[in-house]
Amino acid sequence: MAEKKVSVWSDNRFWQRSATWVTGFASLLLIWLTFDTMGQITMGNQKDINNHITKRVPSATVINYKVEYKMNQRRGHEVPVIGGDDGKGDSLFKVKENFFGRDNYSQKEADALLHLGKLASQAKNCMDCHTLLGNGAYYAPDLTKAWLDPAWQKGGTMQAMTGKSTKEEAMAEFLQNPGKYPTHARMMPNLGITQKEAVGLVAFLKHMATIDTNGFPRGFGKIKEGVVYARSK
Amino acid sequence: MQGQSNFKYEGQKLASWYFTVAMILFGAQLLLGLVAAIQFIYPSFLYGILDFSIARMIHINALVVWMVYAMIGAVYYLLPDETGIEVVGIGIAKLLFWILTLAVTVVVLVFIFIQVGAADIKTIWFITEGREYLEAPRWADIGIVVVVLGFLANTFLTAIKGRRTGIMTVILSDMIALAGLYLAGMFFTDNISMDQYWWWWVIHLWVEATWEVMVGALAAYALIRVVGANRKVVEMWLWIEVAMLFGSGILGLGHHYFWIGTPEYWWEIGALFSALEPLPLVGMFVHVLYDWGKENGFKEKAGEDTSSNNTPALLWLVSNGFGNFLGAGVWGFFHTLPQVNIYTHGTQFTAAHGHLAFFGAYATILIAMFYMAVQGKYGIKKLRATFASKMAIFLITFGVVGMGVALTIAGYEQVLIARAQLGATWDAFFIAQNQTWMAQAMDWRLIMGVVTTVGFFYLVKDLLSISKNPKNVY
Amino acid sequence: MIEPLYIRPVIAINDFLPIFVSAAFILIFGLFYAGIVTMIKMKKMKKVYYILAYFFWGLQIYCTYFLTMTIHSQPFTVKAMIVAMIAYLSVPHIYFYLITKSEQRYEN
Amino acid sequence: MFEAFTDVNHSFFGLLNQGPLTLTIFLHTVIVLPMFWIYFQEKKRLQNKR
């Protein structure tokens, strides 16, 4: 039988089936990828920390540990370092640090604090001025690594302004009375954040700083002295 | 839109209600946008009364809601036309319209007067969910899902009973996906990475996949109605566009998963799939241009009048071809590669892209639908552009492009100073905000926002009065 | 020491503007290329202008090469991008092949 | 041939990510290839039609 000349390329049915296939299969791939990613970004627990297992989103109990953000040779970018580093940029999970005067928050206590903080971040609409993990509005600073911000460390402008001696207390004080500490003409409004909510929020911020964001933001806090304050109004 | 109605179907009348609310919300979006823009320049403006976070929240929510309203309206408008029958259960459809509108009003009033709540799950249920774009409290989420299910049932039953067309098939499957995806954004988790992961399922898969397909389907309908293109050819192209839009758009989701705690393999998936996203936009542009020219050629040969039967709609349709490519394509592409995105993520670049893309890809085609509804309502054979139609399209386009350019300059300055040089800290942020380039960009953004608003008033005037001017109606 | 597979090299300050501009022009030149081919197919332009269309396509390749180099892509990626650009050469032609075919089928 | 794994966790997709573009070329291929099969099936259908 001789081949009949037909034009598949101008056939509606061919394109309809192709569109269905491409859409369906891309969706399936996305679902598969989602399962894989879910497994990787599930929050860890204290057991992981005890076993020195690095999680992309670590346990809420990281608030008991010292947190840094350092270049990791193997990864090729900066990663959060929890409890000191082993010399290669990986976490040691050893060095502790006081958080509101304690470094022994149990899993339950830490989870509750984080829960309260995350709820507060939504109830107060943080994301409609700030960015979290780079998403949100662009009216106020990114809070992804706010816990590690030089301004909040000892000797930093923000900590000095609040008159507190630790960064968690300074942050909590600022969150409760933002109007009292204007750092810029653009002031944070008073959102009625209570003492308890402020502690939760600071725990949330500290935890967020320990999430492995593949090196975002790059070179965080690498500000040269002198440049910083020269131009602030 | 008052006056004698010439709609053949009740469904089209319902569509005009949806369009009317959409226009009101569009106005609200512009108003609150102006407030937020003023606050960038004079931070004390309404400080403590209507703070930036609230103004901005209503600004973006009004945007999403007016577009959803206009899309539902558009579906109700073309549904009887495509299927050849009245919308099934029109009574319920009208009831759902009032329920939805009431819910939206309550949500907005709560946003304005209550604003924030205590860190309690009750706040999430009744005041705000506090997740950018998805701030609507949970009771409203559930209400929206119920209303949308009713809408879907209506359209499905109508489509099954009436004539089946390719455009209807695309729209129906797209609406299911659109409604289903909303469910991904309705739960609470302490894990912010998980939170953001699913949040993007709603935001990205709406805006860069299902909404774009909706635009493709509406453009196909408009090409048939306004330009007079051949249905078979248009529908074949629609299927190709669906394949390309979903083929690139679904996994293009990866470009939001570079830095939120998700694995590194998303760098590659996100970069390469989203680099393909502009391709269907070029295709849509070429397609609209070609069909328009071809049909004009036919008319010329036949010695007919070559002007379109709805010039304002056609103008907006053509600006959709350009705007979609420019706003979604060019502005999206130049910060989508992870090497660049690590510096641009979370800067005014995103705002520039957002303004241009929402306008170019969606506002334009939905406004074209408004004009088609005006034409249908008054049974006008030929609708010609008035001075106000021209002013509206010119001022709105000029204003939005101006805002886009200003925000791009602001974003560029932020990338250089706050990101590349100073490393994204608190101080780095404010140093960048204080630079002259940033300050002037914000001034220009406000000026261009005012220009856009003036254009909006021309648009309102035109939609209300174009049918009454005998010079423009044939 | 293991060499990192993916490095995100620091981009030089002076490279940002060229990166943004070249990325934008990849698409804009691409649109010019496709647009001119469209105009020729619509018989609104003479066939001579194919030269201009291919010239824009050439500029597009250059922009792609420039962009991939300045963001420090790996050599293989640069090559793959150039191959992709060569594939883009055929896109408008495929488009109009499909358009002609479908018109033959549905309109005559 | 196989590159050292650098991400935090091992995974199937991480494994496919064996150097520049391998993952994305793989995904694009599996999406596009079956369209050939659809093409030939439709061709057969059209040929048998009349």
Side-chain angles (χ1 to χ4, degrees), chain A residues 34 36 41 115 118 122 124 128 135 149 186 188 197 223 228, chain B residues 47 117 119 129 135 189-191 195-197 265 422 426 431:
Chain A
T34 297
D36 191 77
I41 65 173
H115 177 71
K118 175 69 179 1
Q122 289 182 220
K124 306 296 178 189
D128 278 305
N135 296 323
D149 202 297
R186 227 182 270 170
M188 179 168 154
E197 286 169 353
I223 298 187
V228 183
Chain B
Y47 175 78
E129 281 205 54
E135 285 94 347
T189 162
D190 295 337
N191 184 340
D195 178 315
Q196 296 283 293
Y197 187 92
Y265 56 67
L422 298 179
W426 189 285
I431 290 168

PDB file of all heavy atoms in Angstrom, chain A residues 34 36 41 115 118 122 124 128 135 149 186 188 197 223 228, chain B residues 47 117 119 129 135 189-191 195-197 265 422 426 431:
ATOM      1  N   THR A  34       9.191  16.879  44.243  1.00  0.00           N
ATOM      2  CA  THR A  34       8.678  17.413  45.496  1.00  0.00           C
ATOM      3  C   THR A  34       8.860  16.403  46.624  1.00  0.00           C
ATOM      4  O   THR A  34       9.310  16.758  47.716  1.00  0.00           O
ATOM      5  CB  THR A  34       7.198  17.785  45.340  1.00  0.00           C
ATOM      6  OG1 THR A  34       7.119  18.825  44.373  1.00  0.00           O
ATOM      7  CG2 THR A  34       6.605  18.260  46.646  1.00  0.00           C
ATOM      8  N   ASP A  36      11.133  14.125  46.793  1.00  0.00           N
ATOM      9  CA  ASP A  36      12.556  14.091  47.087  1.00  0.00           C
ATOM     10  C   ASP A  36      12.966  15.293  47.946  1.00  0.00           C
ATOM     11  O   ASP A  36      13.662  15.159  48.948  1.00  0.00           O
ATOM     12  CB  ASP A  36      13.340  14.101  45.773  1.00  0.00           C
ATOM     13  CG  ASP A  36      14.800  13.794  46.012  1.00  0.00           C
ATOM     14  OD1 ASP A  36      15.116  12.620  46.221  1.00  0.00           O
ATOM     15  OD2 ASP A  36      15.610  14.743  46.021  1.00  0.00           O
ATOM     16  N   ILE A  41      14.122  18.588  53.156  1.00  0.00           N
ATOM     17  CA  ILE A  41      13.931  19.825  53.931  1.00  0.00           C
ATOM     18  C   ILE A  41      13.053  19.620  55.160  1.00  0.00           C
ATOM     19  O   ILE A  41      12.636  20.586  55.798  1.00  0.00           O
ATOM     20  CB  ILE A  41      13.376  20.993  53.073  1.00  0.00           C
ATOM     21  CG1 ILE A  41      11.966  20.698  52.553  1.00  0.00           C
ATOM     22  CG2 ILE A  41      14.297  21.327  51.934  1.00  0.00           C
ATOM     23  CD1 ILE A  41      11.333  21.894  51.846  1.00  0.00           C
ATOM     24  N   HIS A 115       7.458  27.517  67.170  1.00  0.00           N
ATOM     25  CA  HIS A 115       6.061  27.562  66.737  1.00  0.00           C
ATOM     26  C   HIS A 115       5.467  28.945  67.008  1.00  0.00           C
ATOM     27  O   HIS A 115       4.843  29.550  66.133  1.00  0.00           O
ATOM     28  CB  HIS A 115       5.265  26.484  67.485  1.00  0.00           C
ATOM     29  CG  HIS A 115       3.810  26.486  67.178  1.00  0.00           C
ATOM     30  ND1 HIS A 115       3.311  26.081  65.954  1.00  0.00           N
ATOM     31  CD2 HIS A 115       2.741  26.853  67.915  1.00  0.00           C
ATOM     32  CE1 HIS A 115       1.999  26.209  65.968  1.00  0.00           C
ATOM     33  NE2 HIS A 115       1.616  26.667  67.139  1.00  0.00           N
ATOM     34  N   LYS A 118       7.074  31.502  64.585  1.00  0.00           N
ATOM     35  CA  LYS A 118       6.595  31.420  63.203  1.00  0.00           C
ATOM     36  C   LYS A 118       5.184  31.989  63.110  1.00  0.00           C
ATOM     37  O   LYS A 118       4.848  32.744  62.191  1.00  0.00           O
ATOM     38  CB  LYS A 118       6.637  29.968  62.727  1.00  0.00           C
ATOM     39  CG  LYS A 118       6.055  29.722  61.336  1.00  0.00           C
ATOM     40  CD  LYS A 118       6.919  30.327  60.280  1.00  0.00           C
ATOM     41  CE  LYS A 118       6.463  30.134  58.841  1.00  0.00           C
ATOM     42  NZ  LYS A 118       5.284  29.440  58.508  1.00  0.00           N
ATOM     43  N   GLN A 122       3.755  35.511  61.034  1.00  0.00           N
ATOM     44  CA  GLN A 122       2.621  35.606  60.118  1.00  0.00           C
ATOM     45  C   GLN A 122       1.548  36.551  60.660  1.00  0.00           C
ATOM     46  O   GLN A 122       0.983  37.343  59.912  1.00  0.00           O
ATOM     47  CB  GLN A 122       2.017  34.221  59.864  1.00  0.00           C
ATOM     48  CG  GLN A 122       2.924  33.354  59.023  1.00  0.00           C
ATOM     49  CD  GLN A 122       2.355  31.995  58.700  1.00  0.00           C
ATOM     50  OE1 GLN A 122       3.068  31.018  58.707  1.00  0.00           O
ATOM     51  NE2 GLN A 122       1.063  31.913  58.403  1.00  0.00           N
ATOM     52  N   LYS A 124       1.897  39.103  62.434  1.00  0.00           N
ATOM     53  CA  LYS A 124       2.311  40.510  62.376  1.00  0.00           C
ATOM     54  C   LYS A 124       2.682  40.942  60.964  1.00  0.00           C
ATOM     55  O   LYS A 124       3.224  42.025  60.763  1.00  0.00           O
ATOM     56  CB  LYS A 124       3.504  40.748  63.313  1.00  0.00           C
ATOM     57  CG  LYS A 124       3.287  40.305  64.758  1.00  0.00           C
ATOM     58  CD  LYS A 124       2.190  41.091  65.438  1.00  0.00           C
ATOM     59  CE  LYS A 124       1.979  40.562  66.860  1.00  0.00           C
ATOM     60  NZ  LYS A 124       0.770  41.148  67.484  1.00  0.00           N
ATOM     61  N   ASP A 128       5.379  41.567  54.693  1.00  0.00           N
ATOM     62  CA  ASP A 128       4.928  42.648  53.838  1.00  0.00           C
ATOM     63  C   ASP A 128       5.781  43.906  53.965  1.00  0.00           C
ATOM     64  O   ASP A 128       5.479  44.939  53.350  1.00  0.00           O
ATOM     65  CB  ASP A 128       3.439  42.915  54.064  1.00  0.00           C
ATOM     66  CG  ASP A 128       2.592  41.932  53.258  1.00  0.00           C
ATOM     67  OD1 ASP A 128       2.791  41.868  52.042  1.00  0.00           O
ATOM     68  OD2 ASP A 128       1.769  41.203  53.845  1.00  0.00           O
ATOM     69  N   ASN A 135      12.187  36.268  50.114  1.00  0.00           N
ATOM     70  CA  ASN A 135      10.830  36.484  49.610  1.00  0.00           C
ATOM     71  C   ASN A 135      10.073  37.426  50.521  1.00  0.00           C
ATOM     72  O   ASN A 135      10.182  37.331  51.735  1.00  0.00           O
ATOM     73  CB  ASN A 135      10.075  35.163  49.535  1.00  0.00           C
ATOM     74  CG  ASN A 135      10.695  34.217  48.539  1.00  0.00           C
ATOM     75  OD1 ASN A 135      11.174  34.642  47.488  1.00  0.00           O
ATOM     76  ND2 ASN A 135      10.695  32.944  48.864  1.00  0.00           N
ATOM     77  N   ASP A 149      23.689  39.240  61.984  1.00  0.00           N
ATOM     78  CA  ASP A 149      23.980  40.581  61.499  1.00  0.00           C
ATOM     79  C   ASP A 149      24.934  41.306  62.436  1.00  0.00           C
ATOM     80  O   ASP A 149      24.705  41.350  63.653  1.00  0.00           O
ATOM     81  CB  ASP A 149      22.683  41.363  61.369  1.00  0.00           C
ATOM     82  CG  ASP A 149      22.824  42.518  60.408  1.00  0.00           C
ATOM     83  OD1 ASP A 149      23.628  43.431  60.693  1.00  0.00           O
ATOM     84  OD2 ASP A 149      22.148  42.499  59.379  1.00  0.00           O
ATOM     85  N   ARG A 186      12.641  55.442  57.915  1.00  0.00           N
ATOM     86  CA  ARG A 186      11.659  54.397  57.726  1.00  0.00           C
ATOM     87  C   ARG A 186      11.632  53.547  58.993  1.00  0.00           C
ATOM     88  O   ARG A 186      12.449  52.665  59.187  1.00  0.00           O
ATOM     89  CB  ARG A 186      12.113  53.530  56.565  1.00  0.00           C
ATOM     90  CG  ARG A 186      11.044  53.229  55.574  1.00  0.00           C
ATOM     91  CD  ARG A 186      11.578  52.337  54.514  1.00  0.00           C
ATOM     92  NE  ARG A 186      12.150  53.067  53.404  1.00  0.00           N
ATOM     93  CZ  ARG A 186      12.857  52.488  52.441  1.00  0.00           C
ATOM     94  NH1 ARG A 186      13.104  51.196  52.487  1.00  0.00           N
ATOM     95  NH2 ARG A 186      13.341  53.184  51.451  1.00  0.00           N
ATOM     96  N   MET A 188      10.106  50.929  61.945  1.00  0.00           N
ATOM     97  CA  MET A 188       9.188  49.805  62.094  1.00  0.00           C
ATOM     98  C   MET A 188       8.028  50.240  62.981  1.00  0.00           C
ATOM     99  O   MET A 188       8.243  50.885  64.008  1.00  0.00           O
ATOM    100  CB  MET A 188       9.926  48.625  62.733  1.00  0.00           C
ATOM    101  CG  MET A 188       9.054  47.416  62.957  1.00  0.00           C
ATOM    102  SD  MET A 188      10.040  45.977  63.365  1.00  0.00           S
ATOM    103  CE  MET A 188       8.847  45.023  64.292  1.00  0.00           C
ATOM    104  N   GLU A 197       6.041  36.787  72.699  1.00  0.00           N
ATOM    105  CA  GLU A 197       6.103  36.708  71.236  1.00  0.00           C
ATOM    106  C   GLU A 197       7.477  37.126  70.734  1.00  0.00           C
ATOM    107  O   GLU A 197       8.007  36.551  69.783  1.00  0.00           O
ATOM    108  CB  GLU A 197       5.027  37.602  70.606  1.00  0.00           C
ATOM    109  CG  GLU A 197       3.624  37.033  70.722  1.00  0.00           C
ATOM    110  CD  GLU A 197       2.540  38.030  70.332  1.00  0.00           C
ATOM    111  OE1 GLU A 197       2.876  39.225  70.098  1.00  0.00           O
ATOM    112  OE2 GLU A 197       1.379  37.632  70.281  1.00  0.00           O
ATOM    113  N   ILE A 223      31.213  43.475  55.514  1.00  0.00           N
ATOM    114  CA  ILE A 223      31.267  44.923  55.311  1.00  0.00           C
ATOM    115  C   ILE A 223      32.602  45.449  55.807  1.00  0.00           C
ATOM    116  O   ILE A 223      33.048  45.087  56.888  1.00  0.00           O
ATOM    117  CB  ILE A 223      30.127  45.615  56.066  1.00  0.00           C
ATOM    118  CG1 ILE A 223      28.795  45.131  55.534  1.00  0.00           C
ATOM    119  CG2 ILE A 223      30.233  47.114  55.946  1.00  0.00           C
ATOM    120  CD1 ILE A 223      27.624  45.878  56.098  1.00  0.00           C
ATOM    121  N   VAL A 228      30.547  51.521  56.266  1.00  0.00           N
ATOM    122  CA  VAL A 228      29.197  51.274  56.738  1.00  0.00           C
ATOM    123  C   VAL A 228      28.478  52.529  57.194  1.00  0.00           C
ATOM    124  O   VAL A 228      27.375  52.812  56.776  1.00  0.00           O
ATOM    125  CB  VAL A 228      29.232  50.294  57.920  1.00  0.00           C
ATOM    126  CG1 VAL A 228      27.827  49.982  58.362  1.00  0.00           C
ATOM    127  CG2 VAL A 228      29.972  49.061  57.530  1.00  0.00           C
TER     128      VAL A 228
ATOM    129  N   TYR B  47       2.014  56.716  58.991  1.00  0.00           N
ATOM    130  CA  TYR B  47       2.724  55.806  59.897  1.00  0.00           C
ATOM    131  C   TYR B  47       1.879  55.560  61.140  1.00  0.00           C
ATOM    132  O   TYR B  47       1.394  56.500  61.768  1.00  0.00           O
ATOM    133  CB  TYR B  47       4.076  56.413  60.281  1.00  0.00           C
ATOM    134  CG  TYR B  47       4.858  55.619  61.311  1.00  0.00           C
ATOM    135  CD1 TYR B  47       5.556  54.478  60.940  1.00  0.00           C
ATOM    136  CD2 TYR B  47       4.888  56.008  62.649  1.00  0.00           C
ATOM    137  CE1 TYR B  47       6.272  53.757  61.866  1.00  0.00           C
ATOM    138  CE2 TYR B  47       5.600  55.288  63.593  1.00  0.00           C
ATOM    139  CZ  TYR B  47       6.282  54.157  63.193  1.00  0.00           C
ATOM    140  OH  TYR B  47       6.995  53.436  64.118  1.00  0.00           O
ATOM    141  N   GLY B 117      -2.761  40.574  64.410  1.00  0.00           N
ATOM    142  CA  GLY B 117      -3.325  39.923  65.580  1.00  0.00           C
ATOM    143  C   GLY B 117      -2.234  39.378  66.463  1.00  0.00           C
ATOM    144  O   GLY B 117      -1.044  39.575  66.214  1.00  0.00           O
ATOM    145  N   ALA B 119       0.017  36.298  68.237  1.00  0.00           N
ATOM    146  CA  ALA B 119       0.630  35.093  67.671  1.00  0.00           C
ATOM    147  C   ALA B 119      -0.169  33.882  68.102  1.00  0.00           C
ATOM    148  O   ALA B 119       0.211  33.153  69.008  1.00  0.00           O
ATOM    149  CB  ALA B 119       2.083  34.976  68.120  1.00  0.00           C
ATOM    150  N   GLU B 129      -3.352  35.495  57.289  1.00  0.00           N
ATOM    151  CA  GLU B 129      -2.410  34.379  57.307  1.00  0.00           C
ATOM    152  C   GLU B 129      -0.978  34.874  57.188  1.00  0.00           C
ATOM    153  O   GLU B 129      -0.027  34.111  57.350  1.00  0.00           O
ATOM    154  CB  GLU B 129      -2.719  33.377  56.188  1.00  0.00           C
ATOM    155  CG  GLU B 129      -3.869  32.462  56.537  1.00  0.00           C
ATOM    156  CD  GLU B 129      -3.811  31.143  55.796  1.00  0.00           C
ATOM    157  OE1 GLU B 129      -2.777  30.470  55.861  1.00  0.00           O
ATOM    158  OE2 GLU B 129      -4.807  30.810  55.138  1.00  0.00           O
ATOM    159  N   GLU B 135      -2.562  36.391  52.144  1.00  0.00           N
ATOM    160  CA  GLU B 135      -2.866  36.883  53.482  1.00  0.00           C
ATOM    161  C   GLU B 135      -4.292  36.615  53.905  1.00  0.00           C
ATOM    162  O   GLU B 135      -4.602  36.683  55.095  1.00  0.00           O
ATOM    163  CB  GLU B 135      -2.590  38.387  53.584  1.00  0.00           C
ATOM    164  CG  GLU B 135      -1.117  38.746  53.668  1.00  0.00           C
ATOM    165  CD  GLU B 135      -0.534  39.065  52.324  1.00  0.00           C
ATOM    166  OE1 GLU B 135      -1.201  38.768  51.319  1.00  0.00           O
ATOM    167  OE2 GLU B 135       0.580  39.607  52.251  1.00  0.00           O
ATOM    168  N   THR B 189       2.810  25.658  58.897  1.00  0.00           N
ATOM    169  CA  THR B 189       3.925  24.825  59.333  1.00  0.00           C
ATOM    170  C   THR B 189       4.978  25.706  59.998  1.00  0.00           C
ATOM    171  O   THR B 189       5.129  26.876  59.636  1.00  0.00           O
ATOM    172  CB  THR B 189       4.564  24.034  58.172  1.00  0.00           C
ATOM    173  OG1 THR B 189       5.861  23.603  58.574  1.00  0.00           O
ATOM    174  CG2 THR B 189       4.693  24.876  56.919  1.00  0.00           C
ATOM    175  N   ASP B 190       5.688  25.138  60.976  1.00  0.00           N
ATOM    176  CA  ASP B 190       6.761  25.884  61.643  1.00  0.00           C
ATOM    177  C   ASP B 190       8.007  25.963  60.785  1.00  0.00           C
ATOM    178  O   ASP B 190       8.893  26.765  61.034  1.00  0.00           O
ATOM    179  CB  ASP B 190       7.138  25.182  62.957  1.00  0.00           C
ATOM    180  CG  ASP B 190       5.997  25.204  63.957  1.00  0.00           C
ATOM    181  OD1 ASP B 190       5.139  26.094  63.821  1.00  0.00           O
ATOM    182  OD2 ASP B 190       5.973  24.343  64.856  1.00  0.00           O
ATOM    183  N   ASN B 191       8.067  25.084  59.782  1.00  0.00           N
ATOM    184  CA  ASN B 191       9.265  24.995  58.958  1.00  0.00           C
ATOM    185  C   ASN B 191       9.153  25.983  57.802  1.00  0.00           C
ATOM    186  O   ASN B 191       8.412  25.766  56.848  1.00  0.00           O
ATOM    187  CB  ASN B 191       9.364  23.556  58.445  1.00  0.00           C
ATOM    188  CG  ASN B 191      10.623  23.319  57.649  1.00  0.00           C
ATOM    189  OD1 ASN B 191      11.239  24.266  57.156  1.00  0.00           O
ATOM    190  ND2 ASN B 191      11.006  22.056  57.511  1.00  0.00           N
ATOM    191  N   ASP B 195       7.176  25.861  54.250  1.00  0.00           N
ATOM    192  CA  ASP B 195       6.176  26.900  54.034  1.00  0.00           C
ATOM    193  C   ASP B 195       6.392  27.539  52.661  1.00  0.00           C
ATOM    194  O   ASP B 195       5.490  27.575  51.827  1.00  0.00           O
ATOM    195  CB  ASP B 195       6.324  27.930  55.164  1.00  0.00           C
ATOM    196  CG  ASP B 195       5.372  29.100  55.040  1.00  0.00           C
ATOM    197  OD1 ASP B 195       5.224  29.632  53.940  1.00  0.00           O
ATOM    198  OD2 ASP B 195       4.789  29.501  56.059  1.00  0.00           O
ATOM    199  N   GLN B 196       7.631  28.003  52.399  1.00  0.00           N
ATOM    200  CA  GLN B 196       7.926  28.684  51.139  1.00  0.00           C
ATOM    201  C   GLN B 196       7.820  27.735  49.953  1.00  0.00           C
ATOM    202  O   GLN B 196       7.426  28.130  48.865  1.00  0.00           O
ATOM    203  CB  GLN B 196       9.333  29.278  51.189  1.00  0.00           C
ATOM    204  CG  GLN B 196       9.475  30.361  52.235  1.00  0.00           C
ATOM    205  CD  GLN B 196       8.858  31.649  51.770  1.00  0.00           C
ATOM    206  OE1 GLN B 196       9.323  32.267  50.839  1.00  0.00           O
ATOM    207  NE2 GLN B 196       7.783  32.061  52.410  1.00  0.00           N
ATOM    208  N   TYR B 197       8.190  26.480  50.178  1.00  0.00           N
ATOM    209  CA  TYR B 197       8.128  25.516  49.086  1.00  0.00           C
ATOM    210  C   TYR B 197       6.708  25.426  48.533  1.00  0.00           C
ATOM    211  O   TYR B 197       6.476  25.554  47.340  1.00  0.00           O
ATOM    212  CB  TYR B 197       8.597  24.131  49.563  1.00  0.00           C
ATOM    213  CG  TYR B 197       8.711  23.146  48.428  1.00  0.00           C
ATOM    214  CD1 TYR B 197       9.914  22.979  47.760  1.00  0.00           C
ATOM    215  CD2 TYR B 197       7.608  22.420  47.992  1.00  0.00           C
ATOM    216  CE1 TYR B 197      10.026  22.109  46.693  1.00  0.00           C
ATOM    217  CE2 TYR B 197       7.700  21.543  46.924  1.00  0.00           C
ATOM    218  CZ  TYR B 197       8.914  21.388  46.284  1.00  0.00           C
ATOM    219  OH  TYR B 197       9.015  20.536  45.227  1.00  0.00           O
ATOM    220  N   TYR B 265      20.114  20.714  43.308  1.00  0.00           N
ATOM    221  CA  TYR B 265      19.754  20.359  41.927  1.00  0.00           C
ATOM    222  C   TYR B 265      18.721  21.287  41.319  1.00  0.00           C
ATOM    223  O   TYR B 265      18.571  21.335  40.105  1.00  0.00           O
ATOM    224  CB  TYR B 265      19.337  18.880  41.792  1.00  0.00           C
ATOM    225  CG  TYR B 265      18.208  18.392  42.671  1.00  0.00           C
ATOM    226  CD1 TYR B 265      16.917  18.852  42.514  1.00  0.00           C
ATOM    227  CD2 TYR B 265      18.454  17.425  43.650  1.00  0.00           C
ATOM    228  CE1 TYR B 265      15.887  18.387  43.308  1.00  0.00           C
ATOM    229  CE2 TYR B 265      17.426  16.943  44.445  1.00  0.00           C
ATOM    230  CZ  TYR B 265      16.141  17.423  44.271  1.00  0.00           C
ATOM    231  OH  TYR B 265      15.123  16.954  45.051  1.00  0.00           O
ATOM    232  N   LEU B 422      28.368  45.135  49.979  1.00  0.00           N
ATOM    233  CA  LEU B 422      28.263  45.185  51.431  1.00  0.00           C
ATOM    234  C   LEU B 422      27.679  43.926  52.066  1.00  0.00           C
ATOM    235  O   LEU B 422      27.625  43.813  53.281  1.00  0.00           O
ATOM    236  CB  LEU B 422      27.450  46.418  51.855  1.00  0.00           C
ATOM    237  CG  LEU B 422      28.081  47.755  51.444  1.00  0.00           C
ATOM    238  CD1 LEU B 422      27.201  48.904  51.892  1.00  0.00           C
ATOM    239  CD2 LEU B 422      29.467  47.908  52.012  1.00  0.00           C
ATOM    240  N   TRP B 426      21.760  44.437  57.594  1.00  0.00           N
ATOM    241  CA  TRP B 426      20.852  45.510  57.987  1.00  0.00           C
ATOM    242  C   TRP B 426      21.394  46.871  57.520  1.00  0.00           C
ATOM    243  O   TRP B 426      20.702  47.641  56.855  1.00  0.00           O
ATOM    244  CB  TRP B 426      20.723  45.474  59.506  1.00  0.00           C
ATOM    245  CG  TRP B 426      19.685  46.364  60.088  1.00  0.00           C
ATOM    246  CD1 TRP B 426      19.766  47.722  60.223  1.00  0.00           C
ATOM    247  CD2 TRP B 426      18.424  45.978  60.628  1.00  0.00           C
ATOM    248  NE1 TRP B 426      18.626  48.202  60.810  1.00  0.00           N
ATOM    249  CE2 TRP B 426      17.786  47.156  61.082  1.00  0.00           C
ATOM    250  CE3 TRP B 426      17.770  44.761  60.787  1.00  0.00           C
ATOM    251  CZ2 TRP B 426      16.520  47.133  61.675  1.00  0.00           C
ATOM    252  CZ3 TRP B 426      16.522  44.753  61.376  1.00  0.00           C
ATOM    253  CH2 TRP B 426      15.910  45.927  61.804  1.00  0.00           C
ATOM    254  N   ILE B 431      22.048  51.624  53.728  1.00  0.00           N
ATOM    255  CA  ILE B 431      22.989  52.436  52.951  1.00  0.00           C
ATOM    256  C   ILE B 431      22.519  52.504  51.503  1.00  0.00           C
ATOM    257  O   ILE B 431      22.470  53.571  50.892  1.00  0.00           O
ATOM    258  CB  ILE B 431      24.414  51.854  53.048  1.00  0.00           C
ATOM    259  CG1 ILE B 431      24.950  52.074  54.463  1.00  0.00           C
ATOM    260  CG2 ILE B 431      25.344  52.511  52.029  1.00  0.00           C
ATOM    261  CD1 ILE B 431      26.206  51.299  54.765  1.00  0.00           C
TER     262      ILE B 431
END
